[in-house]
Amino acid sequence: MNSWAAIAGRIRVPVGFAFAALYFWLAQPRVWSLVGGITIAVLGLWIRAVASGHVRKNENLTMTGPYAYVRNPLYLGSAIIAAGFTIAARSGWVALVMLAMFAFIYLPVIRSEEAFLRAKFPEFEEYTRRVPRLLPRLTASDNPRGVFSWELYWKHHEYNALLGALLMTAALSLKMIWFTH
């Protein structure tokens, strides 16, 4: 793992929390932006939830469920959530920071995680030829089936993404009500 990818992996969560404060300060939500943005974010939350119920981290190479369509459904879900909340915020600065965070933090982490998977699972190389990194295929690569596990969903604490989205939605709603003239 290169040094920046290691640093990015360690700072992505704290930077995300710091960005949440900046996001809230810069956000200028309106009813239409909040409804539209949250609608998009719900799709991302669903993708993350389904993906977390399939993945057994570091045990095997997950190729079922959403992993039959895209190699990184958790990051895809996060990107869709971010896009939704960017729309909800109605701020060009928020959009620029979101894009910068994705380019300089998340892409290096994704590459680093893929290097780890390539070293750990010999079948990963063939998987990369069939399944795209972030833009999903329209049809499954092979066997899309697999069993969703609520146990894995809870084990991976995926409910935190939903709780965070609910809290930010409530905060944006309050900001819109209190500070819109």
Side-chain angles (χ1 to χ4, degrees):
M1 177 184 313
N2 73 43
S3 61
W4 176 248
I7 292 167
R10 284 193 305 273
I11 67 169
R12 68 182 171 176
V13 173
V15 166
F17 281 114
F19 175 66
L22 177 67
Y23 170 91
F24 182 71
W25 181 59
L26 293 172
Q28 300 172 11
R30 297 294 179 263
V31 171
W32 65 266
S33 69
L34 195 58
V35 170
I38 299 309
T39 301
I40 292 167
V42 165
L43 173 63
L45 288 164
W46 178 79
I47 291 169
R48 282 192 58 89
V50 173
S52 73
H54 280 269
V55 67
R56 294 183 184 279
K57 294 178 183 179
N58 302 324
E59 291 178 26
N60 60 16
L61 182 61
T62 306
M63 295 184 279
T64 61
Y67 292 89
Y69 298 88
V70 64
R71 292 195 310 259
N72 294 284
L74 290 166
Y75 289 118
L76 173 63
S78 293
I80 293 170
I81 293 166
F85 276 99
T86 299
I87 290 167
R90 283 189 344 110
S91 168
W93 290 111
V94 165
L96 285 173
V97 174
M98 288 273 200
L99 287 172
M101 285 177 57
F102 190 77
F104 295 111
I105 295 178
Y106 285 94
L107 284 178
V109 170
I110 289 169
R111 288 187 190 109
S112 173
E113 288 178 3
E114 286 192 348
F116 168 80
L117 293 171
R118 188 171 277 110
K120 185 165 177 80
F121 302 108
E123 64 271 29
F124 186 75
E125 199 58 46
E126 174 57 30
Y127 176 63
T128 64
R129 285 192 274 281
R130 292 188 329 268
V131 180
R133 179 179 281 155
L134 279 171
L135 295 176
R137 298 168 48 107
L138 296 178
T139 58
S141 65
D142 282 327
N143 178 16
R145 289 210 124 59
V147 179
F148 175 84
S149 166
W150 281 105
E151 180 182 338
L152 289 172
Y153 174 88
W154 293 106
K155 175 184 173 187
H156 299 311
H157 305 283
E158 191 55 40
Y159 52 85
N160 286 327
L162 176 60
L163 292 174
L166 290 172
L167 285 172
M168 189 54 79
T169 300
L172 289 174
S173 298
L174 290 173
K175 183 174 185 178
M176 184 178 60
I177 291 165
W178 288 340
F179 297 106
T180 303
H181 297 90

